């Protein structure tokens, strides 16, 4: 098949595009610039690269038609963030493409009400921020589009994506490198709340696997939405303990109120921590397992460790080497 991937040079595409090439597909990557992918593998030499500024072309009303003109059997959209952009693309592809796959987010769910969170159930409150609201609205639109006989669509909703090449969401639910330094040195880490709040990570290659399998099983995936995460979620307390073991340390934690935590960290880090931990997300992947054969290869701690090891190896995180 001819497959167009919009935004294929990012986290997910760096693993998805090589998978598609190995599967024998003709692949076109649409990106805004010439940034190299996170995974330097020979399959990229077989990929046609097309440069496009989606935001500008959306304003001009030309982006959807440009994608349709490529004559793809499948379009994978990894970088759509507004309902307007998603709707315009659907209208342009409706009569020309056999399957549109959209990358959503587990932040389409708000605060957890019943765990694990499952698709289509009232197990979470409504999303809390503009990003989550937009992802929820896009997923609803796509589901309705297919249900009413329009374009076959599928939405994939990853958890907190990790892998080599970028900073993972850390044990406090933020991106502060100082958290890793505190854990690695055996110092006491201040933990806001109870320490039982959970986060659900996923390796970028497992997300790529889900897209690949949804493409392969279009009849099962059409009109559906899937949570795509690791088999298990990490609590703050468990995450700190696992991370400490990587450096030969015992976990040392002190639970504090959110007010005290905010006094002792930057506003940005505190806000990011609250955004992740207040949701307390733990997702079910039963639907993806049963309908498209999703089989994640990474537990969350394995995926995070790979990210941390890459950061250490590339001089982007100043901590001791991880133990074997």
């Amino acid at each position: 098949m001819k497959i167009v991937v919009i935004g294929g040079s990012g986290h997910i595409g760096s693993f998805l595009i090589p998978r598609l090439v190995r599967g024998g597909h003709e692949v076109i990557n649409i990106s805004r610039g010439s940034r190299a992918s996170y995974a330097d593998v020979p399959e990229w030499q077989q990929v046609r690269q097309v440069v496009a500024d989606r935001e500008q072309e959306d304003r001009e009303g030309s982006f959807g038609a440009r994608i349709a003109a490529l004559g793809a059997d499948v379009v994978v959209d990894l970088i759509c963030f507004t309902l307007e952009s998603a709707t315009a693309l659907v209208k342009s592809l409706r009569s020309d493409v056999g399957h549109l796959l959209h990358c959503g987010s587990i932040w389409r769910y708000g605060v957890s009400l019943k765990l694990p969170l499952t698709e289509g159930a009232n197990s979470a409150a409504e999303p809390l921020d503009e990003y989550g609201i937009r992802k929820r609205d896009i997923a609803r639109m796509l589901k309705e589009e297919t249900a009413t006989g329009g374009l076959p669509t599928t939405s994939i909703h990853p958890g907190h994506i990790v892998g080599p090449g970028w900073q993972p969401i850390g044990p406090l639910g933020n991106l502060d490198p100082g958290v890793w330094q505190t854990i690695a040195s055996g110092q006491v880490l201040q933990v806001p709340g109870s320490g039982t709040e959970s986060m659900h990570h996923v390796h970028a290659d497992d997300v790529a696997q889900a897209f690949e399998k949804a493409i392969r099983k279009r009849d099962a995936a059409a009109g559906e939405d899937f949570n795509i995460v690791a088999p298990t979620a990490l609590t703050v307390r468990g995450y700190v303990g696992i991370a400490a073991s990587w450096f030969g340390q015992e976990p040392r934690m002190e639970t504090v109120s959110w007010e005290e935590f905010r006094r002792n960290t930057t506003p940005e880090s505190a806000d990011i921590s609250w955004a992740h931990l207040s949701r307390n997300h733990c997702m079910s992947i039963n639907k993806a397992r049963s309908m498209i054969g999703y089989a994640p290869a990474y537990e969350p701690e394995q995926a995070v460790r790979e990210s941390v090891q890459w950061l250490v190896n590339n001089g982007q995180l100043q901590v001791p080497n991880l133990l074997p």
Side-chain angles (χ1 to χ4, degrees), residues 73-75 97-102 139-156 210-226 287-288 290-293:
D73 302 296
V74 175
V75 173
V97 169
H99 194 188
L100 170 66
L101 297 97
H102 167 80
R140 286 178 176 175
M141 180 275 292
L142 294 174
K143 203 171 188 70
E144 179 68 15
E145 168 69 18
T146 305
T148 56
L151 179 66
T153 68
T154 302
S155 58
I156 300 290
F211 275 101
E212 183 184 26
K213 290 188 171 180
I215 291 169
R216 190 182 306 156
K217 298 188 176 183
R218 191 198 77 156
D219 290 347
E224 301 294 343
D225 52 352
F226 299 102
K287 181 179 177 181
S290 63
M291 295 187 70
I292 61 173

Side-chain angles (χ1 to χ4, degrees), residues 197-215:
E197 297 84 357
S198 62
M199 294 162 277
H200 217 149
H201 295 76
V202 62
H203 195 287
D205 190 50
D206 280 335
V207 182
Q209 175 207 146
F211 275 101
E212 183 184 26
K213 290 188 171 180
I215 291 169

Side-chain angles (χ1 to χ4, degrees), residues 109-110 112-119 123-124 227 281-284:
Y109 303 105
S112 300
L113 303 176
K114 185 177 181 180
L115 298 175
L117 301 181
T118 57
E119 304 90 339
S123 51
N227 300 331
H281 280 167
C282 175
M283 324 303 295
S284 169

Side-chain angles (χ1 to χ4, degrees), residues 54 78-83 85 102 130-131 134-135 138:
R54 182 177 193 158
L78 299 177
I79 55 167
C80 183
F81 303 109
T82 70
L83 179 60
S85 182
H102 167 80
E130 186 176 6
Y131 176 77
R134 288 177 175 180
K135 288 298 187 181
I138 293 170

Side-chain angles (χ1 to χ4, degrees), residues 51-92:
V51 176
D53 185 332
R54 182 177 193 158
E55 291 185 9
Q56 178 63 33
E57 293 185 24
D58 267 341
R59 287 193 292 269
E60 297 169 353
S62 60
F63 184 74
R66 183 175 185 185
I67 300 302
L70 294 171
D73 302 296
V74 175
V75 173
V76 178
D77 191 352
L78 299 177
I79 55 167
C80 183
F81 303 109
T82 70
L83 179 60
E84 294 76 18
S85 182
T87 302
L89 184 63
V90 165
K91 289 179 179 178
S92 296

